[in-house]
Amino acid sequence: MTERLETLRGHMLERDGQRYLLLGREGQRRALLVVRDFTRPAPRLDAPVAGLYPQEPDGNRAGYERNVEALRGRELRSLDGLAGRHRGRPGFLVASGPSLERNAAHLAEAPEGSVVLAVNSAARHVPRPTYYMAVDFIGNRAWVDGIDLSASTALLLAFAAPWLAEVPFREIRWFRPTYLSGAPEQEIGRREFPRLDMLDCMNHVAFTALHFLYLAGCDPIVLVGADYSYRPDRYHAGSSAMPDPVGRPIEVRDVHGEPVLVDRLLYQALVAFQGACWFVGRERRLVNATEGGVLDSPAVAREPLAAVVARLRESPSSGTFAP
């Protein structure tokens, strides 16, 4: 590669000749130590959340290895040239929480030049996103079946579900993961894809998407569909399928006072994401335009998506977003 995201040297960790693109170890440390104080209400779970890295079952590791085999021999283009590409442009991080059904239509009104990054099945609710991101090693074909992503650039973890590489995207960019602590994916990625750039994956795709929009220079970064909770009839927007909860789900109140459910996996993801928001929010304007959910942090302003879009349309290229 001729470019290695040189503009981000201040956010790199040099170790053993490898350059790790880190969201910030201080930010990650706070995700583990103090971010729970930002949660309102703070769910109380069956088991303590001792860390964000439960032991991976052997079946997961075997799946990663199979996916690597499917890519072996291919020419994989990494994140060359994407650092700072969208500096000062609004970036919309669109996750697939149930609330996305309430406000996704407003994304069609985003001003020209906006960057829209849809993860997983959120792409079904976004007209022609700028980027599509997935990190799951199995995935679900229903995420993208029957929708047009020919104008979208895919950002794929190098051992995400192999079928994603066959989707007719405009182009595919690949990356490998880094984590706060060791994980099978990190070991496999270092061994098999040493030349790929790295993004922080922590434990879920929205975390990685936030890291990418930060590195790309987006400002503000607007969160949509980032519920980190689910309704009894909806785990994801547009789908009635309900996966088995991780641990006993508990009922809490969302930011509007409505009852929602949170399981251990979602709470771990919430803790990690709020830590990332704390770090990113020191340098960028973060706006939570999610119409529900339990994400609530001093680092993130809350405003309806319709109002955010209207304000951006008034001055779309200013590079700032004054409240």
Side-chain angles (χ1 to χ4, degrees):
M1 277 183 284
T2 58
E3 293 181 68
R4 295 289 296 180
L5 305 180
E6 294 294 343
T7 61
L8 298 166
R9 188 174 300 278
H11 301 291
M12 288 182 177
L13 172 70
E14 297 280 349
R15 177 180 294 169
D16 301 327
Q18 297 288 335
R19 285 188 290 186
Y20 296 81
L21 299 181
L22 296 178
L23 191 59
R25 287 192 176 273
E26 176 64 13
Q28 292 185 4
R29 184 183 71 82
R30 286 175 177 263
L32 293 173
L33 297 180
V34 304
V35 170
R36 290 176 216 181
D37 295 339
F38 293 173
T39 307
R40 190 184 67 199
R44 298 186 178 277
L45 306 178
D46 287 339
V49 181
L52 300 178
Y53 303 101
Q55 184 65 40
E56 295 281 0
D58 291 342
N60 281 19
R61 186 184 185 96
Y64 303 145
E65 297 281 7
R66 283 195 302 272
N67 293 358
V68 166
E69 188 63 33
L71 290 179
R72 188 167 283 125
R74 291 194 182 201
E75 185 68 27
L76 304 183
R77 187 179 183 189
S78 195
L79 306 179
D80 306 54
L82 298 183
R85 171 175 286 188
H86 305 293
R87 191 170 308 281
R89 294 292 184 177
F92 293 84
L93 193 171
V94 188
S96 56
S99 73
L100 184 60
E101 297 175 0
R102 301 177 182 177
N103 62 356
H106 295 298
L107 291 167
E109 303 163 11
E112 185 177 356
S114 296
V115 178
V116 179
L117 192 164
V119 306
N120 296 348
S121 63
R124 306 201 68 83
H125 303 268
V126 180
R128 301 168 71 84
T130 317
Y131 295 100
Y132 174 84
M133 178 178 280
V135 302
D136 195 278
F137 81 101
I138 298 174
N140 187 334
R141 292 179 185 272
W143 290 349
V144 297
D145 277 354
I147 61 176
D148 181 10
L149 292 171
S150 61
S152 305
T153 294
L155 305 169
L156 302 180
L157 187 65
F159 31 80
W163 58 265
L164 285 162
E166 309 306 323
V167 176
F169 296 107
R170 184 175 71 86
E171 67 170 335
I172 299 178
R173 300 296 195 97
W174 303 86
F175 60 91
R176 60 188 177 105
T178 185
Y179 297 85
L180 186 64
S181 62
E185 304 100 304
Q186 188 169 349
E187 172 196 333
I188 297 168
R190 185 185 305 114
R191 183 190 73 216
E192 299 290 342
F193 307 106
R195 294 184 58 80
L196 290 186
D197 294 306
M198 302 178 76
L199 289 176
D200 276 335
C201 290
M202 193 59 87
N203 62 351
H204 65 294
V205 66
F207 188 101
T208 313
L210 179 60
H211 188 197
F212 175 78
L213 291 176
Y214 171 77
L215 296 177
C218 291
D219 189 10
I221 297 175
V222 183
L223 312 176
V224 187
D227 291 40
Y228 291 94
S229 62
Y230 60 98
R231 305 198 306 261
D233 64 335
R234 278 286 190 277
Y235 199 91
H236 296 295
S239 173
S240 59
M242 298 293 291
D244 294 333
V246 179
R248 180 177 61 86
I250 62 169
E251 182 177 294
V252 297
R253 298 286 172 174
D254 71 5
V255 294
H256 299 306
E258 299 178 5
V260 292
L261 298 172
V262 176
D263 62 23
R264 179 166 58 87
L265 185 64
L266 280 173
Y267 183 59
Q268 289 176 341
L270 173 66
V271 169
F273 194 77
Q274 290 189 136
C277 288
W278 171 87
F279 179 84
V280 172
R282 296 184 304 173
E283 301 180 17
R284 308 287 168 78
R285 174 71 173 176
L286 277 174
V287 182
N288 186 5
T290 300
E291 305 279 337
V294 296
L295 176 62
D296 191 22
S297 164
V300 186
R302 178 174 292 280
E303 189 169 1
L305 182 59
V308 173
V309 168
R311 187 177 302 178
L312 288 171
R313 289 180 67 88
E314 292 176 3
S315 56
S317 60
S318 67
T320 61
F321 188 78

